[in-house]
Amino acid sequence: MTRTPAATSRIHESLDSALARKRVVLWYDPNGEWASEFDDYQPAAAEKLRVERNEFSVKVAISRAPLDQRFLLYLPTAKPPEPDNWLLDLLLAGHEFTADRASLDIQEAGLPLEHKDLAQEHAFFFRSPVRTTKLKNLKPSKDNKLTIRLKMLAVLAEQQPDIDQLLLHAFGQLDPANPDGDDPVEALYGNHQLSSHFWKAVGEKFGYVSPEPNLRDFAVGLFNSVSSIGPSGELLPHARVFLSIWKDSNSSRPAFEQWSDHLAVVLRVEEQLNDAPESFEPDNDDSYELIERFVLRRLLQRFRGDASDTELLEVIRNRSSSCWFGKHQHGYRALEQAINFRGLLAKADLQVPSFEEGLQRYCNGWWRLDQAYRRCIFHARTYKQPGLLKPLRDWLEAQYVNNVLLPLTNSWSDQVAGLSNWGSSTLPRQKEFHMRYVHAPLSSKGLKRLFVVISDALRYEAARDFAERLNSQAGKGWQAEVDALLGVLPSYTQLGMAALLPGAQLGLNPSDSNAMVDGQSATGTENRDKLLKAYAGGRAKAIKAEDFLSLATSKEGAELTRDYDLIVVYHNCIDRIGDKRESEVDTSQAVEQTFDELELILRKIASLKGSQAVITADHGFLFQQEPVDANDRAEFPPATELNFKNRRFALGTGIKASAGQKVFTAGELGLSGSWEAVFPLGLDRFPRSGSGSRFVHGGTSLQEVVVPVIKLKRERKDESRPVQAQLLRVPAKITMGKLSFGLFQLEAVEPKKRLPLQLRIGIYTKSDGALLCAHRTVLLDSAATEAREREQQVVLELSNAAGDYNNQTLELRIEQLLEGVSTPVSYKTVELKLQQPFGSDFDDF
């Protein structure tokens, strides 16, 4: 037979090794198939002898030779029985060399001849030089047969020699919903006679026993063993560790979800959850997505029951580490905001003692009610589960309209009704914006260029939201502070935009509502650009947001900053979407979209080396998600002439205000002209065909007229960092089936300075890095000033696999989870000694 040069070389190397150990080496070759290898062999310090019916003379020659003389005896016959073997004494004192196919194969794989039976049992595996080379690279020479076979399985699956990884690979190869799919274990290992050894390795680690083991049966036992719902499985605690690895693996996660969803149907998980008693608590169980839905549904029920807000928020916090949380986070966030709204409302006193106190109280905290309502609506709509969240939304809508908007706008309107002029000593007028926030900083020596962003309908609560997000997130590069102005009346786009421009006198045309500054039109970007250039001697530019964002930074952007000191960016998202009947229901989504677009604008400003920016709005808005009640509709009052009509105001002359309405002259509003404006008070809207009624502005409500100003400065250095964590009461030894310790957050979370820290915790072996417990994810985000409120208790349950590492050193690894980074970063490591008393094998855990 033809053999490769490598095979022949291996035989000769084995002969050299045998002759180095023994004086006489006997090579029986009953079929004479190795004769050429014997003839080609040239030993360095040994004599080759062919034995063919000359046994006696060979023995005589060996006995007379010097004791340091080595002999290789080639016998082209079968080895005779001991009583008939003339060379038995030489055989017993020497070494029998074999060069059969199995022996050759096992040596090619870098294994000693004592494992020859592996090559015989798994002949098909060892006949491939590619597979034997890969096995040899795994350095199996010092392993036992169990470990060698595990490495053989790893070679075939192209995975690490770890039964957990091999199982993950197998699960990923089979569609659980396809009953005709081939068993990947049999398909991959069957021809190599390794399937039974795969299941033997699974059995030893998981305690899985079956007369006909297969992947589907194992999956049922696995999920039953880790889930809080359904029959209890019989697998060992390592099942929890494996499921943790499966869920945490980016590459294997899709297969986990597929198997979980399939088994939820097979095992009738939904039926069991529907029948679960009130005392049933899934805790951290996330084996099925149905459990996530069950938890959220129960939380929504308990929100309307007697559960405290603290209890509800604690459950949400605990569920945040669930692998399904991301898919359902908007449902949880909607509930969080409803809880927040309820808490704010319980503390709110919405009485308005005076006009000035109304403005002050709104800026000091009432705005948070509008914000919680909008956020809740946003998350509820984004979650797209209207049936599930309908009771929550109905409750929220009734509370917001009846207990916030109605009492607040009515009480505020009483103060507005008594005004003789539109103005305040508490808040600067919107007309002062340019002098305070543009002219003053540009006139200082320290600022060469200022960017101003005017976002249409960015109301005060939304601006506070955006500023808080900037201040609470690392790496945004901006410090934000929020001021407030008293917006112009009517609070609509044309006049609000004009009020932000330089000039002495504001006015508007009552026939078409177009605004003017010092007699010049302020309608449209082109006209505003002219007014700005006139103020800045040509070194100011008005530009639409979409055009600004499309500028190439290195060319057009550089030219922009070279030619202009004042760059005013006009952005329109909220008003564009909210002020249309067909899209006003998407107002909450429009606000979130505005935040994203404003961040893009700020990023662009930063790329143009802008160091200061101001974001403001032309007006705010009133909004309620559900259709407006018929009682909130007002009729236009009698008048000599009503030239312009809007939902929240009308312009004309000779207006006779009806009950629940307020009339101001142009002069009382600080505007030029001899016309009048009438406003419905409270939540009333004038009838206007073709326009929406849920999103409105133009009127006198706090939500419409309190205009935000966000002052932004570029941070020279991002000094923010995550809070620090300290381990408490970590024992030096683990003597039980679990490890309990404290995790202390050293400092409170503080916007822009101390950020939340998310950690993943696990116990690993130091020798081979095996995971011995299910991962625990902990979020340290407490803003509590009391130190005792910032400690969390962590309990890790050891897997049965820990029994193989008794009296060895383990590592408690704390890893930091970073947003957008799949691989955790090492945070802290503590060495522990596993000292299992009385030889316990963890079977009782």
Side-chain angles (χ1 to χ4, degrees):
M1 62 183 296
T2 302
R3 277 173 283 276
T4 64
T8 300
S9 176
R10 169 61 69 185
I11 292 173
H12 292 168
E13 290 175 3
S14 298
L15 288 170
D16 288 339
S17 177
L19 288 167
R21 299 194 308 271
K22 296 292 183 177
R23 182 173 181 241
V24 179
V25 175
L26 294 87
W27 185 357
Y28 289 97
D29 183 14
N31 298 319
E33 60 178 317
W34 304 103
S36 60
E37 280 74 16
F38 172 75
D39 293 338
D40 293 340
Y41 178 56
Q42 301 297 325
E47 182 179 348
K48 298 193 303 180
L49 297 175
R50 183 181 290 269
V51 181
E52 292 181 287
R53 292 186 293 277
N54 59 344
E55 288 85 353
F56 182 74
S57 61
V58 167
K59 289 185 68 171
V60 171
I62 293 174
S63 64
R64 293 178 176 178
L67 292 178
D68 58 353
Q69 177 66 47
R70 307 281 169 145
F71 292 92
L72 171 61
L73 308 184
Y74 175 73
L75 299 92
T77 59
K79 183 172 67 173
E82 289 187 1
D84 301 328
N85 192 343
W86 284 59
L87 302 180
L88 182 61
D89 55 339
L90 296 178
L91 180 62
L92 294 176
H95 172 75
E96 180 185 356
F97 179 78
T98 58
D100 57 89
R101 184 59 193 246
S103 301
L104 181 61
D105 288 342
I106 207 70
Q107 292 177 87
E108 283 293 315
L111 290 164
L113 282 171
E114 63 192 65
H115 293 312
K116 173 183 172 181
D117 57 330
L118 285 175
Q120 293 171 333
E121 182 181 350
H122 310 291
F124 188 60
F125 177 93
F126 284 96
R127 293 295 162 87
S128 166
V130 174
R131 289 194 290 268
T132 54
T133 300
K134 289 182 178 179
L135 179 60
K136 184 178 180 180
N137 290 338
L138 293 176
K139 300 179 181 180
S141 58
K142 296 182 180 180
D143 293 331
N144 57 35
K145 286 183 171 59
L146 178 65
T147 308
I148 294 170
R149 285 192 174 99
L150 187 63
K151 291 182 177 180
M152 292 165 65
L153 292 167
V155 168
L156 292 170
E158 298 183 352
Q159 301 294 315
Q160 294 298 315
D162 177 88
I163 195 59
D164 290 340
Q165 297 302 317
L166 296 175
L167 265 172
L168 290 178
H169 178 259
F171 276 123
Q173 302 301 307
L174 179 60
D175 179 0
N178 180 11
D180 299 322
D182 293 334
D183 184 349
V185 176
E186 187 60 32
L188 195 55
Y189 309 125
N191 290 339
H192 305 274
Q193 289 74 49
L194 283 167
S195 298
S196 62
H197 296 285
F198 172 88
W199 288 116
K200 182 179 179 182
V202 172
E204 290 187 354
K205 198 162 190 178
F206 291 84
Y208 173 63
V209 178
S210 173
E212 296 182 5
N214 62 81
L215 208 57
R216 295 179 187 277
D217 181 63
F218 175 76
V220 171
L222 174 68
F223 277 78
N224 279 340
S225 297
V226 301
S227 180
S228 59
I229 197 73
S232 298
E234 299 178 352
L235 298 189
L236 297 175
H238 184 72
R240 294 188 179 276
V241 179
F242 174 76
L243 211 69
S244 176
I245 296 171
W246 197 359
K247 291 180 294 187
D248 289 344
S249 169
N250 289 332
S251 58
S252 300
R253 174 69 181 273
F256 163 75
E257 294 182 0
Q258 194 176 23
W259 278 91
S260 175
D261 291 345
H262 173 72
L263 290 174
V265 176
V266 172
L267 300 176
R268 299 182 177 181
V269 171
E270 186 171 10
E271 295 178 24
Q272 297 178 65
L273 288 171
N274 288 336
D275 295 335
E278 184 63 26
S279 59
F280 170 69
E281 295 292 346
D283 295 324
N284 296 322
D285 183 4
D286 59 351
S287 50
Y288 303 106
E289 185 184 358
L290 284 171
I291 292 178
E292 206 68 58
R293 295 178 180 177
F294 170 84
V295 171
L296 182 53
R297 182 182 61 188
R298 176 179 278 188
L299 284 173
L300 291 166
Q301 293 170 347
R302 290 178 174 176
F303 173 78
R304 300 300 304 274
D306 57 0
S308 70
D309 291 351
T310 302
E311 292 171 343
L312 296 173
L313 292 172
E314 183 63 23
V315 173
I316 295 174
R317 179 189 181 90
N318 291 338
R319 294 303 300 183
S320 65
S321 60
S322 163
C323 68
W324 306 102
F325 186 82
K327 190 173 181 179
H328 297 273
Q329 64 173 326
H330 285 292
Y332 283 112
R333 300 304 178 213
L335 176 58
E336 271 186 334
Q337 291 302 320
I339 294 170
N340 180 33
F341 176 87
R342 185 166 67 180
L344 291 170
L345 184 58
K347 299 176 183 178
D349 178 8
L350 300 178
Q351 296 301 310
V352 183
S354 68
F355 183 80
E356 301 298 341
E357 280 198 63
L359 291 172
Q360 189 174 42
R361 292 184 183 187
Y362 186 80
C363 294
N364 287 344
W366 285 346
W367 58 270
R368 295 187 182 277
L369 288 160
D370 297 320
Q371 185 183 86
Y373 171 79
R374 174 186 55 79
R375 284 177 171 178
C376 184
I377 292 297
F378 166 74
H379 290 298
R381 285 177 58 81
T382 305
Y383 189 45
K384 296 181 180 179
Q385 294 292 330
L388 176 68
L389 295 183
K390 187 178 186 305
L392 181 74
R393 290 182 57 173
D394 289 346
W395 174 88
L396 178 73
E397 194 72 17
Q399 292 293 319
Y400 182 65
V401 173
N402 297 326
N403 296 327
V404 177
L405 287 185
L406 278 173
L408 180 58
T409 55
N410 289 340
S411 185
W412 167 251
S413 294
D414 290 342
Q415 301 300 328
V416 172
L419 294 177
S420 57
N421 291 283
W422 183 250
S424 168
S425 59
T426 299
L427 298 183
R429 293 179 304 144
Q430 191 175 16
K431 186 66 183 71
E432 299 175 34
F433 167 80
H434 181 81
M435 185 59 67
R436 287 173 176 264
Y437 298 100
V438 179
H439 180 77
L442 276 177
S443 301
S444 65
K445 296 180 180 180
L447 183 64
K448 294 182 178 180
R449 186 173 298 104
L450 179 65
F451 290 85
V452 176
V453 182
I454 302 175
S455 185
D456 203 325
L458 181 72
R459 73 177 178 180
Y460 185 76
E461 61 85 5
R464 292 292 296 255
D465 194 345
F466 181 66
E468 286 177 3
R469 296 188 191 195
L470 288 179
N471 287 335
S472 65
Q473 299 177 30
K476 295 300 181 183
W478 295 94
Q479 289 181 335
E481 295 181 11
V482 182
D483 291 343
L485 302 172
L486 178 64
V488 291
L489 280 185
S491 54
Y492 73 109
T493 300
Q494 298 298 336
L495 188 60
M497 292 293 184
L500 301 171
L501 293 167
Q505 182 61 54
L506 274 180
L508 60 82
N509 186 338
S511 63
D512 58 12
S513 78
N514 285 333
M516 295 167 288
V517 176
D518 294 336
Q520 299 183 48
S521 175
T523 300
T525 306
E526 184 176 345
N527 286 324
R528 294 165 194 159
D529 184 66
K530 292 178 182 178
L531 290 164
L532 288 167
K533 279 183 167 59
Y535 155 76
R539 293 194 60 81
K541 175 68 175 177
I543 185 172
K544 291 182 179 179
E546 53 268 31
D547 297 331
F548 178 71
L549 290 172
S550 65
L551 294 176
T553 302
S554 59
K555 188 178 180 182
E556 294 95 338
E559 293 173 356
L560 184 72
T561 55
R562 180 195 65 200
D563 297 338
Y564 303 109
D565 303 326
L566 173 61
I567 300 164
V568 182
V569 181
Y570 287 93
H571 171 258
N572 185 11
C573 178
I574 299 172
D575 204 57
R576 173 173 52 83
I577 293 173
D579 211 18
K580 294 184 178 66
R581 184 171 60 180
E582 60 273 16
S583 59
E584 64 177 352
V585 294
D586 297 323
T587 296
S588 58
Q589 274 72 17
V591 174
E592 294 291 330
Q593 182 180 334
T594 291
F595 294 163
D596 293 338
E597 293 176 5
L598 289 178
E599 284 201 31
L600 290 176
I601 292 172
L602 289 178
R603 204 173 302 163
K604 187 74 171 184
I605 292 172
S607 72
L608 297 175
K609 299 181 180 180
S611 61
Q612 288 192 34
V614 178
I615 298 176
T616 189
D618 49 353
H619 55 76
F621 61 86
L622 265 178
F623 176 72
Q624 56 191 83
Q625 187 65 40
E626 297 304 317
V628 176
D629 191 276
N631 294 326
D632 292 334
R633 295 174 184 173
E635 296 298 328
F636 287 109
T640 304
E641 188 175 19
L642 285 180
N643 306 99
F644 185 84
K645 298 177 180 180
N646 189 282
R647 283 285 188 185
R648 291 284 286 168
F649 70 94
L651 305 177
T653 57
I655 302 174
K656 304 297 182 182
S658 302
Q661 297 176 357
K662 174 66 177 179
V663 174
F664 286 104
T665 66
E668 290 170 343
L669 294 175
L671 304 173
S672 62
S674 57
W675 47 269
E676 298 168 336
V678 61
F679 302 90
L681 298 177
L683 297 179
D684 287 354
R685 278 91 158 153
F686 286 136
R688 288 292 292 161
S689 60
S691 62
S693 61
R694 307 179 196 195
F695 173 97
V696 293
H697 59 87
T700 64
S701 73
L702 288 163
Q703 292 86 346
E704 295 168 277
V705 301
V706 175
V707 175
V709 178
I710 308 175
K711 299 179 295 182
L712 297 134
K713 288 186 178 181
R714 284 281 291 167
E715 296 175 305
R716 294 184 180 275
K717 181 180 179 182
D718 183 8
E719 298 180 351
S720 62
R721 62 168 177 80
V723 296
Q724 296 181 349
Q726 179 180 337
L727 302 180
L728 303 177
R729 302 180 299 278
V730 180
K733 299 177 181 179
I734 303 178
T735 59
M736 301 177 63
K738 61 180 65 176
L739 174 66
S740 179
F741 60 94
L743 189 62
F744 178 59
Q745 179 182 323
L746 286 173
E747 53 217 330
V749 167
E750 185 178 352
K752 214 62 176 179
K753 293 183 179 180
R754 303 291 177 261
L755 307 178
L757 174 67
Q758 189 169 28
L759 300 175
R760 189 177 77 171
I761 306 172
I763 300 174
Y764 296 80
T765 60
K766 190 172 183 180
S767 58
D768 56 12
L771 178 64
L772 297 182
C773 72
H775 283 128
R776 171 78 185 276
T777 301
V778 178
L779 178 63
L780 300 178
D781 63 348
S782 175
T785 55
E786 284 287 337
R788 61 186 178 184
E789 297 180 23
R790 301 197 300 269
E791 180 180 344
Q792 297 188 45
Q793 190 71 13
V794 179
V795 179
L796 303 175
E797 295 190 9
L798 290 175
S799 157
N800 52 283
D804 297 331
Y805 298 91
N806 194 28
N807 294 317
Q808 293 189 29
T809 301
L810 308 181
E811 289 183 340
L812 174 64
R813 294 183 191 172
I814 317 295
E815 300 171 303
Q816 182 178 357
L817 297 175
L818 302 174
E819 185 178 357
V821 180
S822 58
T823 304
V825 177
S826 178
Y827 187 78
K828 288 183 181 180
T829 300
V830 178
E831 290 190 356
L832 309 164
K833 180 72 174 294
L834 178 61
Q835 198 163 57
Q836 180 184 354
F838 312 114
S840 167
D841 59 3
F842 287 80
D843 283 347
D844 55 332
F845 295 108

